[in-house]
Amino acid sequence: MGCTMHYYILKRIILMIPTLFGVMAITFMVTQFVPGGPVEKLIAEMEGLGQGGEVGSGSSTMYRAASGLGAERVEQLKQLYGFDKPPLQRFFSMIKRYLAFDFGSSYYYQKTVMELVISKLPVSMSLGLWSFVIVYGVCIPLGIAKAVRHGSTFDVFSSTIILVGYAIPGFVLGIALLVLFGGGSFWNIFPLRGIVSDNWSELSLIHKILDYLWHMVLPIVSSAVGSLAVMTMLTKNSFLEEIGKQYVLTARAKGLEEGKVLYKHVFRNAIIPIITGFPGYFLAAFFTGSLLIETIFSLDGMGLLAYEAVLNRDYPIVLGTLYFFTILGLVARLLSDLSYVMVDPRIGFEKLE
C-alpha cells in the first residue's frame, strides 16, 4: 500500500502543475487584455484632475496632469506598472517569481502582496475558525439526533429552523442582527464594527479575549448559519442510509444495545462522507473571506481586499492571491482523497485513480 500511496500522491502533484499553470494563464489573459487596466485608470484620473492637479492613487503622487499626457509620459507609466514588456514575457517572468512565492508589490497600497495577505488573514481566519467549529460542532450531533428520531416532531421542527436559516442570505441576516442587537431600533448589545475595541491594547488578557469574542458573535452567526443546513442534512442522510443496512439489523437481532449499534457500527461508516470533506472545508474556512459579511461588520479581511483589488485593477494582488489559494485548493482536494483511504481502508488508491 505504501508504494501505491506514494505513486498516487506523486501523480496528483504532477497533475497539479498544468492545472495551476492553466488557471494562471487564463486569469492573466483576462486581467491583462480587458480595458481599464491600471495604466488607463491612472491616466484617466490624471487627465480628469485638470491642470496642476495632483494624483493620489495610492502608489504614486509623482505625476502632475496637464491638459493631456504625451507619449513619453504614457511610456513612463507603462514602465511603472511593468506594461512596457510583451505579455508573454511578463507572464513567464511572473510565474518564475511566483515559484519562489514572490508576488510583488501592490500598485496602490505601497506594500508587498504577502504583507497585505498576512495583515488581512487574521480577520478571515477568525471568521473561518469559529464558523468551522460551530458548523462541525453543531451539525454532526444534530444530524445524528435527527437520524435517530427521523419523522418525529423534533426532526420536523429542527429541519424547519435550519432550512429557514439556509434560505436567508448571510448578509441579510447580518443586517437584521445589527438592527436588532447592534444599537439600532432595538437592543444595544453587540458592537457595530471591527474585530476588537479601540482600547483593546489597554485591556488585560482575559478582557482582550472577551472583547474579541464579543465583537465576533454577530459576524460568526451570520457566516455560519447558512452552512448548518447542508452539513446537518448530509450527516442525517448518511446515518439514515447506514441505519437501514443489513449489518445494523443483524447487530440488533443479536441483542446489542442501541447505543453500541449506533456508535460502534453505524458511526464509523456514516461519518466517512463528513470527514472526507473536512480538509477542503477547513482550508476554505481559514483562508477565504466573505466580502458582504466583512463589509457589513467593517472587518478588513481577505474578502474586502480581493474586492478592492479587482475594483482598482491591482493585478499583483489579484494574481498573487489566486496563485496561493489555487495551490491551497488543489492540496485540499488531494487531502480529501487521501482521507477516504485513511478513514475507510476498504477504499484503495487504485479506486481513486
Side-chain angles (χ1 to χ4, degrees):
M1 178 179 174
C3 293
T4 306
M5 180 180 70
H6 294 151
Y7 171 75
Y8 177 78
I9 293 174
L10 179 62
K11 179 181 176 181
R12 288 294 300 272
I13 291 174
I14 292 174
L15 289 174
M16 287 180 187
I17 297 174
T19 303
L20 180 61
F21 186 86
V23 169
M24 296 306 300
I26 293 172
T27 309
F28 180 85
M29 285 190 294
V30 171
T31 57
Q32 298 295 306
F33 298 109
V34 294
V39 175
E40 293 86 349
K41 188 173 184 296
L42 183 56
I43 290 174
E45 290 178 356
M46 294 172 67
E47 291 180 338
L49 288 175
Q51 298 211 6
E54 193 170 289
V55 179
S57 62
S59 65
S60 176
T61 56
M62 59 188 294
Y63 300 106
R64 289 178 174 274
S67 57
L69 294 174
E72 183 179 352
R73 182 62 63 86
V74 173
E75 285 301 318
Q76 290 177 346
L77 293 177
K78 288 183 178 180
Q79 291 177 11
L80 177 67
Y81 290 114
F83 283 86
D84 56 324
K85 301 179 179 65
L88 199 60
Q89 182 180 345
R90 296 201 308 271
F91 175 72
F92 283 105
S93 175
M94 179 192 73
I95 292 297
K96 183 178 179 181
R97 289 187 291 103
Y98 281 14
L99 290 174
F101 287 92
D102 176 13
F103 302 130
S105 298
S106 166
Y107 291 156
Y108 296 92
Y109 292 99
Q110 298 180 340
K111 292 182 179 179
T112 66
V113 174
M114 190 60 73
E115 286 176 336
L116 286 168
V117 170
I118 291 173
S119 67
K120 309 296 183 182
L121 271 181
V123 172
S124 296
M125 290 179 69
S126 292
L127 283 173
L129 169 65
W130 294 112
S131 298
F132 177 83
V133 170
I134 289 173
V135 168
Y136 272 85
V138 171
C139 293
I140 292 178
L142 179 58
I144 295 173
K146 286 171 64 61
V148 173
R149 300 170 178 82
H150 178 59
S152 66
T153 303
F154 168 78
D155 181 35
V156 174
F157 179 75
S158 58
S159 294
T160 303
I161 295 298
I162 62 173
L163 289 175
V164 168
Y166 178 74
I168 301 175
F171 71 94
V172 175
L173 179 60
I175 294 172
L177 291 175
L178 280 178
V179 172
L180 288 173
F181 304 108
S185 303
F186 297 90
W187 302 282
N188 185 11
I189 300 175
F190 296 103
L192 286 171
R193 62 184 66 243
I195 194 172
V196 292
S197 299
D198 294 335
N199 64 336
W200 189 78
S201 59
E202 303 172 3
L203 302 176
S204 63
L205 178 59
I206 185 65
H207 285 94
K208 285 182 178 179
I209 295 173
L210 293 175
D211 181 76
Y212 161 75
L213 295 175
W214 180 52
H215 278 76
M216 294 304 297
V217 169
L218 297 186
I220 290 169
V221 170
S222 304
S223 178
V225 164
S227 302
L228 292 177
V230 176
M231 190 61 65
T232 300
M233 299 310 294
L234 174 63
T235 304
K236 176 190 172 181
N237 293 334
S238 180
F239 272 80
L240 276 179
E241 182 181 355
E242 291 297 322
I243 288 172
K245 289 185 176 179
Q246 185 63 44
Y247 74 89
V248 176
L249 299 177
T250 303
R252 286 172 173 168
K254 289 181 177 180
L256 288 179
E257 296 178 5
E258 190 64 24
K260 288 185 177 180
V261 173
L262 181 63
Y263 292 104
K264 186 177 179 180
H265 297 281
V266 175
F267 185 84
R268 64 182 182 182
N269 293 317
I271 204 69
I272 290 174
I274 293 95
I275 294 299
T276 50
F278 184 96
Y281 189 87
F282 181 83
L283 290 176
F286 265 63
F287 294 103
T288 57
S290 172
L291 168 63
L292 293 174
I293 297 297
E294 291 177 10
T295 302
I296 291 169
F297 295 98
S298 299
L299 303 175
D300 193 9
M302 290 298 302
L304 197 58
L305 175 66
Y307 172 73
E308 291 178 347
V310 172
L311 200 64
N312 294 324
R313 303 295 195 272
D314 201 342
Y315 294 152
I317 294 179
V318 174
L319 294 168
T321 53
L322 176 68
Y323 178 86
F324 180 65
F325 291 124
T326 301
I327 291 177
L328 287 180
L330 293 171
V331 171
R333 181 59 186 169
L334 174 60
L335 293 177
S336 295
D337 288 346
L338 293 177
S339 65
Y340 271 103
V341 181
M342 302 302 176
V343 174
D344 188 357
R346 295 172 298 178
I347 302 175
F349 286 101
E350 297 85 358
K351 295 180 181 180
L352 294 177
E353 295 182 1

